[in-house]
Amino acid sequence: MSRRKAEAERTREAILDAAETQFLAQGVSRTTLAHIAAAAGVTRGAIYWHFEDKAAVFNALLERVRVPLDEIVDETVLRLGNAPTQCLQGIAHSALRAICYNLPLQRAATIVLHRCEKLEDDHPRISMITQLSEHSKAQVEQLFEQAKLSGQLRQGLSPSSARLQFHSFLIGVCFDWLQDPQQFELADEYESMVDTLMRGLMVDHAKHHV
């Protein structure tokens, strides 16, 4: 990589780091490009060199933490894909463990779930954190399909409905904990929470700690 390209990349990352700090401190809607530029020690022109507008900054910030979420699903499917119940439990464990210990992901999720005031019609979309990617969504639903075929999915529950409930449960746990991480130790609780989730979705759920 050329020196000029490396410097441009460092500037881009500095802008995103500054945006993250400002979004956490005062919310997305109240943060301006001037705030971000001042925090990053760059001009607004430098921001426009890298990003079209604040929405582009926001989306790029979330893109930095999107890949780990996909990797959680892919790695678990690769490791446990022939055992759908254990695989789904492993995905849930890994996702909540990441929220506990992956600080960049934790900060991004906090911004999305608690710092996005929907005050503007053109407010940046937040789907990159609050929804699984299409790739991971298909993977998780396929696991529920496998569970159904093997008689493990609770009767009357479709794979698509199970995937929705699985996702909503995990988002709900994250939303509640990130409001005030001091209210309880998620690291101590997430395994039993996932057990509760799986008992609701599966027949004769066996406890497998991943």
Side-chain angles (χ1 to χ4, degrees), residues 89-197:
Q89 188 177 29
I91 290 169
H93 280 173
S94 296
L96 293 181
R97 186 163 56 239
I99 286 290
C100 291
Y101 298 115
N102 182 331
L103 295 182
L105 177 59
Q106 189 180 117
R107 289 192 293 266
T110 299
I111 290 168
V112 167
L113 297 174
H114 297 291
R115 301 292 190 272
C116 283
E117 311 85 346
K118 294 190 177 182
L119 303 176
E120 307 162 29
D121 290 340
D122 60 347
H123 194 282
R125 293 176 299 168
I126 64 174
S127 63
M128 296 173 77
I129 288 290
T130 59
Q131 295 181 17
L132 291 168
S133 70
E134 289 302 314
H135 168 74
S136 294
K137 186 184 298 184
Q139 290 274 63
V140 170
E141 191 159 329
Q142 184 177 38
L143 288 169
F144 279 115
E145 183 65 44
Q146 292 172 11
K148 182 179 180 179
L149 292 173
S150 62
Q152 295 173 283
L153 190 62
R154 187 169 294 281
Q155 189 173 4
L157 192 60
S158 70
S160 61
S161 179
R163 188 261 307 160
L164 176 62
Q165 293 180 41
F166 179 85
H167 173 252
S168 297
F169 182 97
L170 296 177
I171 288 295
V173 169
C174 294
F175 181 92
D176 185 51
W177 183 64
L178 289 171
Q179 283 189 111
D180 178 12
Q182 304 304 314
Q183 62 183 311
F184 65 91
E185 290 291 338
L186 181 58
D188 296 336
E189 300 289 342
Y190 72 79
E191 288 193 7
S192 64
M193 289 178 167
V194 172
D195 282 344
T196 299
L197 167 65

